[in-house]
Amino acid sequence: MTSKQPLPVRLTRTGQPLFPWHHFTMRFSSTPRGARLARRLAGERLDAWGIPYGSDAHDVLTLIVAELSANAVRHGRVPGRDFRLRLSAEGAALRVEVTDSRGESIPALAEPSNELDGGRGLLLVAALTDRWGWYPCIDGPGKTVWAVLDVGLS
């Protein structure tokens, strides 16, 4: 994907997106089950915000949640500590943030290897979103990986 076209969203009669401002935060166990639950609840929340199941924006955003949650479980897990998912929508921009407990495990894009099964998650995140990054937690150990998708119309 070299050229990113905005994904269509349902608009109100005034032409404004249906989600002028929304916020969702929840902690999940740092397990594969927790990552699946994060994806499922994010999908339900997005649908409630006016991004319907089966739409391009919904599919992309739930994939982003799945990838970042799986990375938190695989690379950011500290036994006994949860990861946190935060979704926020303002105007037509949606932000996904996943916070884990391992600040020394820094996310980086890498060329995928034919010998390894993994290593493509952040490449997908970078290709499907408008911007992404990470920052260290200021209130404890860990880091937050975030991605933003603009689903507005040009």
Side-chain angles (χ1 to χ4, degrees):
M1 277 188 189
T2 56
S3 172
K4 293 184 181 169
Q5 296 295 321
L7 299 172
V9 297
R10 292 184 289 167
L11 302 175
T12 63
R13 286 186 200 170
T14 62
Q16 297 299 313
L18 288 175
F19 43 92
W21 187 89
H22 290 290
H23 183 76
F24 169 79
T25 302
M26 185 172 275
R27 291 188 176 279
F28 298 91
S29 65
S30 289
T31 62
R33 184 177 183 187
R36 287 190 305 270
L37 182 58
R39 180 182 187 276
R40 184 176 194 132
L41 290 179
E44 289 179 7
R45 184 60 51 166
L46 293 168
D47 185 64
W49 290 354
I51 303 171
Y53 286 103
S55 68
D56 288 343
H58 190 280
D59 292 347
V60 167
L61 289 162
T62 54
L63 176 64
I64 299 310
V65 169
E67 291 298 335
L68 295 183
S69 297
N71 283 352
V73 169
R74 185 170 187 177
H75 304 291
R77 182 177 184 273
V78 171
R81 296 202 178 167
D82 297 337
F83 73 90
R84 181 181 66 217
L85 169 66
R86 177 177 292 154
L87 302 175
S88 54
E90 185 170 352
L94 285 113
R95 183 177 177 103
V96 175
E97 295 182 359
V98 174
T99 302
D100 64 45
S101 298
R102 293 202 46 206
E104 72 277 5
S105 178
I106 297 172
L109 294 177
E111 285 295 317
S113 167
N114 289 333
E115 288 97 42
L116 300 175
D117 290 336
R120 293 166 182 83
L122 282 180
L123 291 172
L124 284 171
V125 170
L128 294 172
T129 61
D130 294 299
R131 56 196 177 280
W132 76 277
W134 72 277
Y135 58 88
C137 290
I138 56 171
D139 58 350
K143 67 183 170 304
T144 298
V145 182
W146 58 267
V148 175
L149 180 66
D150 182 5
V151 296
L153 299 173
S154 309

